[in-house]
Amino acid sequence: MNKLKVVHIVEALGGGVYTYFINLTHVLAAHSNIDLTIIYSDKRQEIDPNKVAEDFHPNTTLVKIPMLREISPRYDFIAFKQLRYALKKLKPDVLHLHSSKAGILGRLAFLATYRFNTKLYYTPHGYSFLRKDISSFKRFVFLTIEFLSQKLTGGTIIACGDTELHYSKKIGPSLLVRNGINFDSAPQQLPQRSITVNKIGILGRITYARNPSLFNDIALQNPNLNFIWIGDGELRALLTAPNIEITGWFKDRSEGLCVLETIDVYLQTSLWEGLPIALLEAAARKLPIIATAIIGNKDIIANGKNGFLFKDASEFSNTIAKLTTAQDRDRIGKANFERCKLLFDSSRNFAKLISIYFEDHPKHVL
């Protein structure tokens, strides 16, 4: 029996998407009837290209094709030609595209190499038309591109979160496969935490989407607390408060996760999200979470049960007061772990993705 040939294309291989793919490969590539290939770009600063093969499942075939995050007619055309060549050679049964750039280039390559039995899927990981750093006109343009791309190529949108599913249904046929992490590999022993709140942290790239200005304002208004940004990024200059530490990039993601385990409260200040993997990593470490009340965060945090949602720096002060005792933080942290393990376990969720693939290819045995 021939294996189901599954090809994923991703440009945005960094941050939470990188963790997503680690977990994805360890479920899909371990399946006895799946032949998995990942076509990826290594241009993201926050990843170590030499560790991709080490982090992904060993049965994964890796194909490196440089793609740029920004629009570049010359380099985008080169990437398109390389993708077209790769797809002609691979002849996939399943083609799954991730994020906006790979979504566009991958669809064009799909059209140029169309095979009637290739089923197309697309996961946005946060729609560009929901961004807050661009004009309403640009948001309209991105929405139009998503809509027209879907109409042109067809296929199924695989939303990574409940709110993303809501928007996806307005664009085309959509299914929900939530983001997830491997909770079975969550650390069993965690460091002894402070009796009082001492260190508040965030994990990720310092970008406009993560709203470092709000993180900095909160730190300035709470000089008695220590803040840590686990990561780095182009907007690090916005983090000027004297009680903020910036760790910089780690060559090994496990080093950043070890730092995450030392904080008392996780703070997510994002302006928009798809479904943030960093919140799941915090949940796996039984951390209470305070997060902005936005798309993505609201899919994970049930306000007052496994964390708290807030809107601005002044509201943060009222929220952190609800976590002053170790007992409160422990209770919320454990509830966070249990809820996220139930809804966002990668083994369970990616098994659902496998079922979707095989349902569309009944000749292959699951």
Side-chain angles (χ1 to χ4, degrees):
M1 183 69 66
N2 292 332
K3 292 185 176 183
L4 188 72
K5 293 183 179 180
V6 177
V7 174
H8 287 251
I9 302 178
V10 57
E11 174 275 323
L13 192 63
V17 175
Y18 188 77
T19 303
Y20 172 96
F21 268 88
I22 291 174
N23 294 316
L24 178 80
T25 63
H26 279 269
V27 176
L28 268 63
H31 194 285
S32 59
N33 285 336
I34 289 180
D35 181 357
L36 179 65
T37 299
I38 304 294
I39 300 176
Y40 72 102
S41 176
D42 62 348
K43 295 302 182 182
R44 293 290 178 128
Q45 182 183 4
E46 63 267 36
I47 69 167
D48 181 353
N50 298 318
K51 285 188 62 62
V52 174
E54 178 184 331
D55 289 339
F56 288 10
H57 192 282
N59 291 347
T60 307
T61 300
L62 296 173
V63 177
K64 184 168 61 176
I65 293 179
M67 292 175 269
L68 299 181
R69 181 191 308 173
E70 303 79 11
I71 295 175
S72 170
R74 178 189 175 190
Y75 288 105
D76 289 347
F77 182 66
I78 293 172
F80 157 73
K81 290 195 298 182
Q82 292 178 317
L83 288 171
R84 180 183 61 185
Y85 175 80
L87 293 182
K88 282 184 177 180
K89 183 178 179 181
L90 291 167
K91 298 180 174 61
D93 301 305
V94 168
L95 178 60
H96 195 148
L97 313 174
H98 296 266
S99 298
S100 301
K101 193 58 170 286
I104 296 299
L105 293 177
R107 280 177 166 129
L108 292 174
F110 169 75
L111 289 174
T113 58
Y114 179 74
R115 299 172 69 244
F116 73 93
N117 64 329
T118 298
K119 301 298 182 181
L120 181 66
Y121 304 89
Y122 168 56
T123 297
H125 296 285
Y127 281 112
S128 295
F129 60 78
L130 297 175
R131 288 168 54 181
K132 300 294 181 65
D133 61 333
I134 55 177
S135 66
S136 57
F137 175 74
K138 284 187 176 181
R139 288 196 293 270
F140 174 75
V141 170
F142 286 141
L143 174 59
T144 302
I145 290 172
E146 291 283 1
F147 184 80
L148 293 178
S149 298
Q150 178 65 32
K151 293 300 179 185
L152 182 64
T153 61
T156 302
I157 302 172
I158 305 292
C160 66
D162 296 76
T163 307
E164 186 165 278
L165 177 67
H166 169 76
Y167 286 98
S168 297
K169 286 180 175 179
K170 299 179 180 181
I171 296 172
S174 305
L175 298 171
L176 174 65
V177 177
R178 294 186 179 97
N179 276 1
I181 64 171
N182 184 0
F183 278 87
D184 289 337
S185 65
Q188 300 300 309
Q189 295 286 0
L190 293 168
Q192 186 69 35
R193 290 179 177 139
S194 304
I195 296 176
T196 58
V197 175
N198 178 51
K199 186 184 294 185
I200 296 174
I202 184 173
L203 171 70
R205 207 169 80 243
I206 310 173
T207 64
Y208 187 90
R210 303 290 91 75
N211 201 357
S213 294
L214 176 57
F215 191 88
N216 193 68
D217 288 344
I218 290 173
L220 288 172
Q221 293 182 23
N222 295 272
N224 58 314
L225 298 175
N226 296 310
F227 291 79
I228 184 169
W229 196 299
I230 308 168
D232 211 329
E234 55 268 30
L235 296 183
R236 67 176 292 155
L238 295 179
L239 299 173
T240 59
N243 54 336
I244 295 178
E245 174 190 353
I246 304 172
T247 66
W249 296 124
F250 292 99
K251 291 296 183 181
D252 192 322
R253 63 182 287 273
S254 63
E255 295 178 27
L257 294 177
C258 286
V259 176
L260 179 65
E261 294 168 12
T262 68
I263 70 175
D264 302 304
V265 175
Y266 188 89
L267 172 62
Q268 188 86 352
T269 53
S270 304
L271 287 168
W272 73 89
E273 291 282 359
L275 194 141
I277 293 288
L279 293 192
L280 303 182
E281 296 286 11
R285 286 148 183 85
K286 298 183 173 67
L287 287 169
I289 292 173
I290 300 177
T292 42
I294 59 159
I295 292 169
N297 290 348
K298 292 192 290 186
D299 292 335
I300 295 175
I301 301 301
N303 195 27
K305 296 180 180 179
N306 67 318
F308 297 95
L309 299 170
F310 76 107
K311 295 179 181 178
D312 52 36
S314 60
E315 191 175 347
F316 170 84
S317 298
N318 296 326
T319 305
I320 193 66
K322 300 174 183 178
L323 294 170
T324 53
T325 70
Q327 291 83 358
D328 286 336
R329 296 196 303 278
D330 185 61
R331 173 177 54 82
I332 294 291
K334 287 180 178 177
N336 195 16
F337 177 87
E338 294 300 330
R339 184 176 192 272
C340 289
K341 183 178 181 181
L342 178 66
L343 295 178
F344 305 106
D345 181 83
S346 59
S347 297
R348 184 186 305 113
N349 293 352
F350 291 144
K352 178 182 177 181
L353 184 63
I354 290 173
S355 296
I356 293 170
Y357 292 163
F358 279 93
E359 285 172 6
D360 283 342
H361 288 86
K363 292 183 179 180
H364 289 267
V365 178
L366 177 60

